[in-house]
């Protein structure tokens, strides 16, 4: 029998083979490295393609970068940041938290606003506890150490944003260009056909806004119409507006400036009511600044026009600080009256006025999150957090298929020579300003715009700041009270006479509602 051949691999041969292979690999790697080092253009000219979201924020949150389809790898970080800010869209899933950290905001630098229009508080002495604040039970009381150390949030996106240009609108901020019409650019035109109503035809104006009845004799302030430069701005039509809200709830939520606009809307609608007795306040209340909640029913149209006071949109609370129980502002909790806002068909929100009061500007032992009263917090940071709390409530509780949401930004004050409680005045102003270039765009407006852009619920911004800035003549001044009860030492240069500037705000609101109805029809 033939002997089988056996094959074996001696250990010496194995080591020789392994050494040869390893040496070859080392030589190849060294050669490749030398080639790259001697020809830098190989990696300098390399381009990267982004066809999918490049920043994952967890879950479904993402930032889609459209303009970065290609860029050189040696581009500076600053140019990359600019591109991100320019073409960024913010996407949020339903019922998601608003505490998403947006990397694009982290490069925002703080800049103090110069020449910003004053936004002082209501023209009466601010009480220790704000009027209209919600009652707080024992469950809301917390104890806090006034000397407790608190580390401010490190998020740079919560600082001032004057240098920041908001990302392009994703269809939620609609005031910029609507059917080719920029409502924010225009001029005031004297029009003898105004006002849209008179003090005699509308008994619903409360004393604080009833300048004519309180003795103001120059009536030119009633005769101005806002004319956008790029389109024909339709005159308010009360009958059409009532048809638009037939069977619906039109609800204003905010501070006394929103009550100003709400009273204006009531008076404008009364012009189309055949029987004034068929319009009444459902609780039998007479409009005063002491009461905070009203609902007027228009019987023939089966609709209501309502107002709910909410100075900050978040909850005004109380906490024990040291040995005293003091007012606080829960910037992480929505106003307890929010249950009344649900089910509305049209919601108009605002907040700005009270954020310039002493307690809010100082931010010392005033802002509260959970059971923690913050010893010190910047007002801009607090305002942003409060707006994000409001935005979370809207996204969670408002059905955009039923409810149209608006947010009116700040209306400027025009105090000269001091603040409302230190000799500030506007009594001599009987004509609009010719120029407002010295007035900066309020920081709070920018914060509002940024928050709205991050919401999943469509919100239309009523941008009235610029057009209202001209109207120094439109404030009550000393005519916010009846003769014999007023003092020239305290003037109201924050609120507005009725008829007056808030009528224009409602014309803009009417324009948006009418435009939406036409687009749905087509």
């Amino acid at each position: 029998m033939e002997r089988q051949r056996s094959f074996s691999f001696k250990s010496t041969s194995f080591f020789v083979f392994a050494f040869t292979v390893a040496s070859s690999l080392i030589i190849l790697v060294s050669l490749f490295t030398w080639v790259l080092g001697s020809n830098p253009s190989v990696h300098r000219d390399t381009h990267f393609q982004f066809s999918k979201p490049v920043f994952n924020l967890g879950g479904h949150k993402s930032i889609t970068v459209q303009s970065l389809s290609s860029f050189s790898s040696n581009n500076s970080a600053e140019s990359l940041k600019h591109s991100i800010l320019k073409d960024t869209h913010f996407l949020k899933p339903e019922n998601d938290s608003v505490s998403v950290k947006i990397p694009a905001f982290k490069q925002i630098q703080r800049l103090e606003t110069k020449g910003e229009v004053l936004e002082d508080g209501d023209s009466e002495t601010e009480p220790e506890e704000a009027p209209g604040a919600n009652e707080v039970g024992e469950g809301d009381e917390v104890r806090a150490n006034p000397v407790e150390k608190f580390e401010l949030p490190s998020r740079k996106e919560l600082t001032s944003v004057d240098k920041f240009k908001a990302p392009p609108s994703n269809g939620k901020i609609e005031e910029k260009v609507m059917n080719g019409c920029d409502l924010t650019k225009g001029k005031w035109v004297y029009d003898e056909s105004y006002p849209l109503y008179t003090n005699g035809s509308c008994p619903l104006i409360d004393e604080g806004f009833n300048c004519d009845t309180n003795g103001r004799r120059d009536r030119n302030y009633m005769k101005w119409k806002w004319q956008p430069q790029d389109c024909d701005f339709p005159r308010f039509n009360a009958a059409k507006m009532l048809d638009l809200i037939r069977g619906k709830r039109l609800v204003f939520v905010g501070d006394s400036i929103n009550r100003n606009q709400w009273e204006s809307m009531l008076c404008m609608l009364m012009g189309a009511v055949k029987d004034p007795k068929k319009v009444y306040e459902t609780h039998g209340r007479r409009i005063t600044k002491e009461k905070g909640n009203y609902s007027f029913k228009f019987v023939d149209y089966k609709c209501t026009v309502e107002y709910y006071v909410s100075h900050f949109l978040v909850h005004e609370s109380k906490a024990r600080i040291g040995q005293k129980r003091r007012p606080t502002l829960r910037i992480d909790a929505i106003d307890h009256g929010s249950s009344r806002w649900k089910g509305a068909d049209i919601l108009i929100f605002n907040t700005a006025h009270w954020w310039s009061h002493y307690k809010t500007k100082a931010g010392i032992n005033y802002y509260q999150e959970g059971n923690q009263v913050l010893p010190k917090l910047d007002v801009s940071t607090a305002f942003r957090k409060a707006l994000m709390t409001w935005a979370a409530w809207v996204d969670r509780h408002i059905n955009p298929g039923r409810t149209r949401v608006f947010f009116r930004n700040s209306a400027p004050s025009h105090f000269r020579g001091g603040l409302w409680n230190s000799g500030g005045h506007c009594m001599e102003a009987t004509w609009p300003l010719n120029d407002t270039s010295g007035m900066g765009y309020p920081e709070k407006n920018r914060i509002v715009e940024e928050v709205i852009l991050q919401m999943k619920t469509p919100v239309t911004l009523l941008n009235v700041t610029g057009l209202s800035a001209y109207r120094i003549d439109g404030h009550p001044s000393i005519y916010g009270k009846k003769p014999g009860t007023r003092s020239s030492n305290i003037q109201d240069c924050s609120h507005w006479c009725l008829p007056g500037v808030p009528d224009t705000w409602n014309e803009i609101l009417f324009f948006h509602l009418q435009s939406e109805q036409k687009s749905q029809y087509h």
Side-chain angles (χ1 to χ4, degrees), residues 14 22 43 69 101 106 111 113 128 169 178 204 228 264 288 290 308 313-314 369 405-406 447-448 457 495 521:
F14 173 80
H43 58 83
S69 57
K101 294 184 178 180
K106 290 188 177 180
L111 177 69
T113 304
E128 183 66 22
S169 171
M178 191 168 187
L204 303 177
S264 162
T288 69
E290 282 75 31
Y308 298 101
L313 301 180
V314 290
E369 291 183 288
V405 182
F406 294 85
I447 294 174
V448 167
T457 304
H495 298 93
Y521 176 78

Side-chain angles (χ1 to χ4, degrees), residues 5-250:
R5 297 181 182 178
S6 63
F7 297 90
S8 63
F9 199 87
K10 295 183 179 180
S11 59
T12 302
S13 301
F14 173 80
F15 285 120
V16 171
F17 176 79
F19 177 78
T20 303
V21 172
S23 300
S24 300
L25 289 174
I26 291 173
I27 293 173
L28 288 174
V29 171
S30 300
L31 180 62
F32 183 73
T33 303
W34 177 80
V35 171
L36 287 179
S38 63
N39 189 13
S41 63
V42 171
H43 58 83
R44 284 183 182 175
D45 295 333
T46 301
H47 294 269
F48 299 87
Q49 302 295 327
F50 290 85
S51 59
K52 296 181 179 181
V54 296
F55 299 109
N56 194 337
L57 301 177
H60 294 86
K61 298 180 284 288
S62 63
I63 297 180
T64 303
V65 183
Q66 294 180 334
S67 68
L68 299 181
S69 57
S70 65
F71 65 91
S72 299
S73 63
N74 65 332
N75 280 353
S76 67
E78 185 64 25
S79 62
L80 173 59
K81 179 197 73 175
H82 176 74
S83 299
I84 293 175
L85 291 178
K86 183 178 179 182
D87 294 291
T88 299
H89 294 272
F90 302 99
L91 308 177
K92 283 177 53 40
E94 188 173 357
N95 297 330
D96 200 14
S97 169
V98 296
S99 61
V100 179
K101 294 184 178 180
I102 307 298
F105 288 156
K106 290 188 177 180
Q107 299 297 325
I108 299 171
Q109 301 295 321
R110 183 173 181 82
L111 177 69
E112 292 295 330
T113 304
K114 295 183 179 180
E116 181 175 344
V117 178
L118 292 174
E119 296 178 32
D120 298 272
D122 292 324
S123 298
E124 64 259 359
T125 302
E126 182 185 2
E128 183 66 22
E129 181 177 356
N134 295 302
E135 291 298 324
V136 183
E138 290 301 317
D140 289 315
E141 181 177 319
V142 298
R143 295 180 180 272
N145 187 343
V147 296
E148 179 182 358
K149 292 183 179 180
F150 175 74
E151 186 175 350
L152 291 176
S154 60
R155 292 176 60 190
K156 293 182 180 179
E157 69 269 21
L158 294 181
T159 57
S160 178
V161 290
D162 280 16
K163 285 186 175 180
F164 174 68
K165 290 186 178 181
S169 171
N170 58 1
K172 297 178 183 179
I173 297 181
E174 301 175 20
E175 92 292 345
K176 291 292 184 182
V177 178
M178 191 168 187
N179 296 329
C181 179
D182 186 345
L183 301 180
T184 65
K185 295 180 180 179
K187 60 183 179 180
W188 289 96
V189 178
Y190 193 85
D191 190 332
E192 280 288 353
S193 67
Y194 278 71
L196 299 170
Y197 57 91
T198 64
N199 301 75
S201 66
C202 183
L204 303 177
I205 306 173
D206 81 77
E207 179 184 335
F209 310 144
N210 204 336
C211 302
D212 186 54
T213 300
N214 292 339
R216 181 169 178 173
R217 290 294 168 256
D218 62 300
R219 297 183 177 180
N220 289 330
Y221 68 93
M222 302 181 185
K223 298 288 187 180
W224 296 96
K225 172 187 176 180
W226 178 249
Q227 179 60 58
Q229 66 181 21
D230 299 323
C231 64
D232 292 326
F233 191 45
R235 184 185 179 93
F236 185 86
N237 187 309
K240 287 185 178 180
M241 183 66 185
L242 283 169
D243 280 332
L244 284 173
I245 63 173
R246 184 184 296 272
K248 298 179 179 179
R249 292 178 60 202
L250 173 60

Side-chain angles (χ1 to χ4, degrees), residues 120 355-363 367 376-377 379 419:
D120 298 272
W355 290 90
S356 60
H357 282 188
Y358 171 76
K359 287 182 293 188
T360 50
K361 286 195 294 186
Y367 297 113
K376 176 67 176 177
L377 188 64
V379 64
L419 302 179

Side-chain angles (χ1 to χ4, degrees), residues 255-298:
D255 56 31
S256 55
I257 307 297
N258 238 24
R259 180 166 59 86
N260 222 168
Q261 185 179 356
W262 168 73
E263 289 186 29
S264 162
M265 176 60 75
L266 288 176
C267 288
M268 293 166 78
L269 293 177
M270 288 294 290
V273 174
K274 296 179 181 179
D275 186 358
K277 293 181 180 179
K278 290 188 177 182
V279 178
Y280 63 89
E281 208 286 316
T282 56
H283 300 95
R285 295 172 178 169
R286 183 175 63 88
I287 300 175
T288 69
K289 63 183 178 183
E290 282 75 31
K291 298 290 184 181
N293 303 318
Y294 299 94
S295 176
F296 274 80
K297 187 172 185 63
F298 288 72

